[in-house]
């Protein structure tokens, strides 16, 4: 995948650049980010440089993760990170991906994460052909679930002992979003709705 740039009213979503390393490093010093994500702890400047300089470009090149730097249109400040991960099922009949994100502490409470996520979801459904988007978070991550709920993700339950973290098995919360769940413009005129690409037969009970 060639990296793309997405824009919203207040934000630009672009691939990370080497110059982003100091801002990524500073944001990841906030304890909630390493607590609830797979960011290393302690998080060094070298970790940030490796992420922006190696991990992100390799993800786009190898179709393993499409990571965006979310920056403010007004001053270019880093708002957070957002991306599509676990893309092994994207090209097959599953046509699915997982949405992941973190937001710098000073940028929270402004609706930026939801605004950025809506742009990524629309791109995923309309341009990449995703038919099912997943959201996973360690049980107890109420902030992440609050964002997912605002985006329209449907709660699917708790996956027991799915995550191994620091030598301990932990439960994971799970949710999903289908193209038909996302409000707004259904896409370019005449384009097939993403929800129609593969027929869906829900279980009636």
């Amino acid at each position: 995948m060639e990296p793309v740039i997405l824009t919203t009213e207040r934000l630009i979503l672009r691939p990370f650049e080497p110059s982003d390393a100091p801002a990524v490093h500073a944001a990841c010093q906030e304890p909630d980010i390493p607590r609830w994500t797979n960011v290393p702890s302690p998080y060094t400047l070298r970790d940030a440089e490796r992420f922006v300089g190696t991990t992100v470009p390799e993800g786009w090149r190898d179709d393993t993760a499409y990571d965006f730097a979310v920056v403010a249109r007004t001053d270019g400040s880093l708002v957070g990170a957002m991306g599509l991960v676990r893309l092994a099922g994207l090209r097959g009949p599953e046509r699915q991906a997982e949405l992941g994100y973190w937001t710098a502490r000073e940028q929270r409470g402004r609706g930026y994460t939801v605004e950025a996520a809506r742009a990524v979801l629309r791109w995923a459904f309309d341009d990449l052909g995703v038919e099912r988007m997943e959201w996973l978070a360690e049980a107890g991550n109420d902030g992440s679930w609050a964002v997912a709920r605002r985006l329209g993700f449907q709660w699917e339950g708790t996956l027991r002992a799915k995550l191994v973290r620091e030598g301990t098995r932990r439960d994971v919360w799970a949710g999903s979003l289908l193209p038909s769940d996302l409000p707004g413009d259904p896409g370019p005129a005449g384009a097939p709705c993403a929800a129609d690409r593969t027929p869906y037969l829900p279980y009636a009970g």
Side-chain angles (χ1 to χ4, degrees):
M1 168 68 69
E2 287 295 322
V4 303
I5 296 175
L6 307 174
T7 59
T8 71
E9 181 181 355
R10 298 182 295 170
L11 304 168
I12 298 172
L13 287 74
R14 56 165 176 76
F16 281 93
E17 301 169 352
S19 60
D20 294 317
V24 171
H25 173 251
C28 291
Q29 303 311 299
E30 197 270 311
D32 277 350
I33 293 178
R35 168 63 185 88
W36 296 113
T37 72
N38 58 3
V39 166
S41 181
Y43 193 78
T44 67
L45 180 58
R46 185 158 192 167
D47 290 322
E49 291 170 343
R50 186 180 303 112
F51 174 70
V52 302
T54 302
T55 303
V56 171
E58 287 181 351
W60 285 93
R61 183 194 68 204
D62 300 337
D63 293 320
T64 55
Y66 302 149
D67 286 305
F68 293 93
V70 181
V71 300
R73 295 183 72 165
T74 52
D75 59 6
S77 60
L78 182 69
V79 170
M82 181 165 298
L84 301 180
V85 299
R86 304 188 207 284
L87 299 179
L90 178 59
R91 307 302 175 193
E94 298 89 354
R95 306 297 301 176
Q96 67 182 29
E98 179 186 332
L99 181 71
Y101 43 83
W102 57 256
T103 307
R105 173 160 42 184
E106 65 273 14
Q107 303 284 8
R108 295 173 193 167
R110 305 178 187 181
Y112 284 149
T113 309
V114 170
E115 182 176 330
R118 284 179 175 149
V120 172
L121 291 168
R122 182 57 65 198
W123 172 67
F125 288 144
D126 290 346
D127 295 351
L128 301 184
V130 172
E131 296 180 357
R132 172 184 161 87
M133 187 69 67
E134 295 187 328
W135 165 85
L136 299 173
E138 183 181 335
N141 192 343
D142 295 315
S144 184
W145 170 238
V147 170
R149 186 176 62 247
R150 286 187 62 191
L151 292 167
F153 278 83
Q154 300 297 301
W155 176 262
E156 294 188 331
T158 300
L159 307 177
R160 297 189 304 153
K162 179 176 177 61
L163 175 67
V164 177
R165 182 184 178 91
E166 298 176 349
T168 301
R169 287 198 171 274
R170 301 165 188 255
D171 292 345
V172 168
W173 286 344
S176 69
L177 187 77
L178 305 182
S180 56
D181 297 327
L182 191 64
D185 181 9
C193 176
D196 294 335
R197 292 190 181 110
T198 304
Y200 172 41
L201 182 64
Y203 179 60

